[in-house]
Amino acid sequence: MEIGIVGLGRMGGNMAERLIQHGHQVVGCDPAPEAQERVRALGGDAAGTVTEMIGKMTQAPRVVWSMVPAGKVTEAVLKEAADAL
């Protein structure tokens, strides 16, 4: 399974790691270069924006998992994802 994870902080980063360890293809999204590099080092791929992340996903249907704080950040992620999908 291929999955995009938006937000590679403590929870999202650990979730990405577990999914990669269990054979899933993960494309992570986080503005922090360190978080992106962590996912790449684990064997996944990463992007700085949701649109870029979705562009890197090759399997349909595209599954996007948001691990960002509630509020305006979540609303912005959902809008960007909806527009890109």
Side-chain angles (χ1 to χ4, degrees):
M1 179 172 108
E2 181 183 54
I3 186 167
I5 297 183
V6 182
L8 299 173
R10 177 178 285 178
M11 290 182 8
N14 287 332
M15 185 60 64
E17 180 176 355
R18 286 188 198 96
L19 287 166
I20 291 167
Q21 288 173 345
H22 287 90
H24 299 286
Q25 297 171 339
V26 173
V27 181
C29 173
D30 200 286
E34 304 83 23
Q36 294 175 36
E37 186 52 41
R38 178 178 177 223
V39 170
R40 287 188 189 104
L42 293 167
D45 197 357
T49 68
V50 175
T51 302
E52 181 185 358
M53 177 193 74
I54 291 170
K56 290 184 174 197
M57 297 174 73
T58 60
Q59 297 178 11
R62 289 174 178 81
V63 177
V64 177
W65 190 339
S66 177
M67 298 293 287
V68 297
K72 291 184 180 192
V73 174
T74 297
E75 292 172 21
V77 165
L78 291 176
K79 173 149 181 26
E80 186 177 354
D83 290 347
L85 292 168

